[in-house]
Amino acid sequence: MPEHRIFIKIYLWFWLATFIIVLSQITIDRVTQSDQMVNHMRHPIGNALSLYGQTAAEVYEDKGVSSFHSFVDHIDNSNGIQIFLFDDTGHEVAGHTGGTEISNLVNLAEKSGRTELIITGINDLGAQRFSSRSGKTYVVAGEFPKPPRRGDFGKPPRGGDFGKPPPLLVRLCVFVIVSGGICYWLAHYFSAPIIKLENAVRQFAGGNLSVRVSSTIGKRNDEISGLAQAFDRMAGRIESLLTSQRNLLRDVSHELRSPLARLNVALELSRQKCDPETGKTLDRIAREADKLNELIEQILTLNLFESGISAIGMTIVDIEKLIREITDDADFEAQSRNRGVKVVVSEACTILGNEELLRRAVENIVRNAVLYTIEDSTVEVSLINDKNGHNKSVSITVRDYGHGVPENEIEHIFKPFYRVGEDRDRESGGAGIGLAIAEAAVRFHGGTVKASNAPGGGLLIEVTIPAA
């Protein structure tokens, strides 16, 4: 799964590194075949050859061939080990014939110059070159029917049975299984808290400001634990600041409504006593008061979205009918500005949502387009029901024919109180909160909204919401 990519990477790299190390060690051992490793694995045979060889040479030099015969026969009868002693010319001192294998082993030991050579088979064969106390050089060879040796990798024999070491494939399989388990644990140990931290960041970015992560990763005294604690402190600080900001906006907005209501009452009383000239001034004050009331309503609505809406009525909304009503009202208002609004594409579709919130979102976008489209132009609205694939959606597109928005500012136009450049100023565009409300309402319904400059001029805003 995509969210577990770091776990898979760590696991595979740990496992691959372990496998390469083991494989390299086995390859080096097999290529070098060093005397040290051979002696380490076969030291019982080497020790036996050294002991028997030195004793046999002393018996041969001190007491002659007959005593040597008696000595090797005794070793053969008591231990089942056949001993052969070769002088520096390569001849067996007692004239015994050790067979082709023994002869080949002695020749190989002499030609290779190795001090000791062990060959494992049904019976282990060993040859060792040494010097006796008299200074003569001999090669002692022996055949061990039941070799007292350990298995590969220094494993002790079981039950006194010194069998063959397991084949290379079996050893590799054991290493793969054991190293795989260890690497799995290591990968999980390092990646699990990172994945949890990533999920917490996603939730935080999605608006869940209460998410915390340090309590979910266990007791760790490392950098990852420090990162989780730093995230929790950051999240707590941001949540506190945003909560304070929202409370301030809410409280200020509510407090402003009371004096505005009294102001409207005072205006009505003043109209009853004023002359016509003063009435014009009072009308201007009333219009500004209405704008202020509208702004307060928008701030409260945006604050409602940002604080999270938990209980709200959801019904099946006929979005085509809703779009028709909004465009008809907007077109009626736009005619006074020598502009128009029309639906160019309309397909039947429904949405599961709140009709009032959807109306407010689309209405804000359409009215924003009417404000900025040039005179004698028409704002175009399209409604398309996308039925392709498993995820059905409704696409609402609103296009004006104004001057557009600079590319580097398009992504900011859905922020509260953000206005663009000279044309989209406070006089022509209001407080810059309508698109923020529209974006919040669309996001509440699980949709997305994006803006782009249309070919030929003007701004294109596209709303996509899951269909019912």
Side-chain angles (χ1 to χ4, degrees):
M1 292 183 289
E3 61 270 21
H4 293 159
R5 283 180 297 186
I6 188 172
F7 169 79
I8 295 174
K9 288 180 180 179
I10 294 177
Y11 175 66
L12 290 180
W13 277 114
F14 270 141
W15 201 5
L16 181 61
T18 304
F19 183 78
I20 291 175
I21 292 173
V22 172
L23 188 62
S24 300
Q25 184 63 48
I26 293 175
T27 303
I28 293 173
D29 292 343
R30 285 186 168 269
V31 170
T32 58
Q33 294 182 347
S34 63
D35 288 338
Q36 182 180 3
M37 182 60 70
V38 172
N39 289 336
H40 172 72
M41 293 189 296
R42 305 287 185 238
H43 65 82
I45 295 178
N47 292 340
L49 283 174
S50 178
L51 175 63
Y52 293 148
Q54 290 287 351
T55 305
E58 291 178 9
V59 171
Y60 172 69
E61 292 178 352
D62 295 342
K63 299 181 180 180
V65 176
S66 59
S67 296
F68 176 79
H69 277 295
S70 299
F71 174 74
V72 296
D73 288 343
H74 173 73
I75 297 299
D76 188 8
N77 294 331
S78 60
N79 298 326
I81 301 174
Q82 297 182 14
I83 297 298
F84 305 91
L85 189 65
F86 297 82
D87 57 22
D88 55 0
T89 63
H91 296 92
E92 212 284 321
V93 297
H96 287 168
T97 301
T100 304
E101 291 182 346
I102 292 293
S103 299
N104 292 338
L105 179 62
V106 173
N107 292 334
L108 180 60
E110 291 179 343
K111 291 179 180 179
S112 64
R114 296 176 62 170
T115 302
E116 182 177 289
L117 184 65
I118 308 297
I119 297 179
T120 300
I122 298 177
N123 293 334
D124 282 356
L125 303 177
Q128 187 179 94
R129 186 170 64 253
F130 68 96
S131 297
S132 67
R133 289 190 296 178
S134 64
K136 293 182 179 181
T137 301
Y138 295 94
V139 174
V140 61
E143 184 175 358
F144 296 77
K146 294 181 179 180
R149 62 180 178 84
R150 293 178 182 268
D152 285 349
F153 304 101
K155 292 194 299 184
R158 294 182 298 174
D161 182 14
F162 299 87
K164 291 185 179 181
L168 178 61
L169 181 59
V170 174
R171 287 179 285 168
L172 285 178
C173 289
V174 172
F175 270 111
V176 167
I177 294 174
V178 174
S179 63
I182 296 175
C183 293
Y184 179 89
W185 180 83
L186 286 173
H188 178 75
Y189 179 78
F190 286 115
S191 65
I194 298 176
I195 293 173
K196 291 179 180 179
L197 183 59
E198 180 189 12
N199 291 334
V201 172
R202 290 179 184 274
Q203 294 180 46
F204 191 82
N208 183 10
L209 302 183
S210 63
V211 64
R212 300 294 184 268
V213 70
S214 60
S215 61
T216 65
I217 65 173
K219 296 181 178 180
R220 304 170 57 114
N221 294 319
D222 54 15
E223 288 78 3
I224 297 178
S225 175
L227 179 61
Q229 294 173 7
F231 170 81
D232 286 354
R233 290 193 295 270
M234 178 198 70
R237 180 62 175 165
I238 293 176
E239 181 183 22
S240 176
L241 290 174
L242 289 179
T243 301
S244 299
Q245 180 191 31
R246 291 168 183 171
N247 291 339
L248 177 63
L249 287 174
R250 182 195 61 200
D251 295 342
V252 169
S253 299
H254 280 296
E255 290 300 324
L256 286 175
R257 280 189 161 182
S258 296
L260 278 175
R262 291 193 293 271
L263 178 62
N264 287 327
V265 173
L267 283 172
E268 292 301 322
L269 293 175
S270 298
R271 279 197 180 97
Q272 297 175 6
K273 302 177 182 180
C274 69
D275 53 52
E277 192 66 28
T278 305
K280 295 180 180 179
T281 303
L282 294 178
D283 291 340
R284 178 60 184 267
I285 295 175
R287 287 196 299 271
E288 296 299 331
D290 290 340
K291 288 183 179 180
L292 189 55
N293 264 319
E294 183 181 357
L295 176 59
I296 292 173
E297 180 65 27
Q298 290 179 335
I299 291 175
L300 291 174
T301 301
L302 181 62
N303 193 68
L304 180 65
F305 280 115
E306 294 298 335
S307 300
I309 302 176
S310 56
I312 189 171
M314 304 288 281
T315 59
I316 298 297
V317 180
D318 185 347
I319 198 68
E320 182 185 23
K321 178 183 176 182
L322 182 66
I323 293 296
R324 291 286 183 186
E325 293 175 355
I326 293 173
T327 53
D328 289 344
D329 292 342
D331 182 60
F332 179 78
E333 296 176 8
Q335 288 177 7
S336 61
R337 298 170 176 260
N338 295 323
R339 299 160 188 174
V341 179
K342 68 176 181 179
V343 177
V344 293
V345 178
S346 181
E347 298 179 356
C349 49
T350 56
I351 292 176
L352 176 62
N354 181 272
E355 182 173 354
E356 183 58 32
L357 294 182
L358 290 171
R359 179 187 298 275
R360 189 173 300 182
V362 177
E363 194 171 59
N364 283 348
I365 295 174
V366 173
R367 286 185 173 179
N368 185 78
V370 171
L371 286 174
Y372 300 119
T373 193
I374 61 176
E375 290 191 9
D376 300 323
S377 66
T378 301
V379 174
E380 298 174 352
V381 181
S382 300
L383 173 63
I384 300 175
N385 188 4
D386 186 3
K387 301 179 180 179
N388 296 328
H390 299 290
N391 299 324
K392 298 180 181 179
S393 62
V394 174
S395 177
I396 305 170
T397 304
V398 180
R399 188 229 170 120
D400 66 50
Y401 286 87
H403 300 295
V405 176
E407 291 293 338
N408 61 338
E409 298 191 62
I410 285 182
E411 62 181 18
H412 302 297
I413 64 175
F414 296 104
K415 295 180 179 179
F417 305 106
Y418 188 87
R419 292 179 298 275
V420 180
E422 299 177 356
D423 295 331
R424 297 174 180 260
D425 56 12
R426 188 178 300 274
E427 291 298 325
S428 62
I433 201 173
L435 290 182
I437 294 176
E439 191 273 338
V442 171
R443 178 160 34 90
F444 171 78
H445 287 86
T448 59
V449 56
K450 63 179 182 179
S452 61
N453 286 313
L459 187 68
L460 183 69
I461 295 182
E462 181 179 2
V463 175
T464 303
I465 303 177

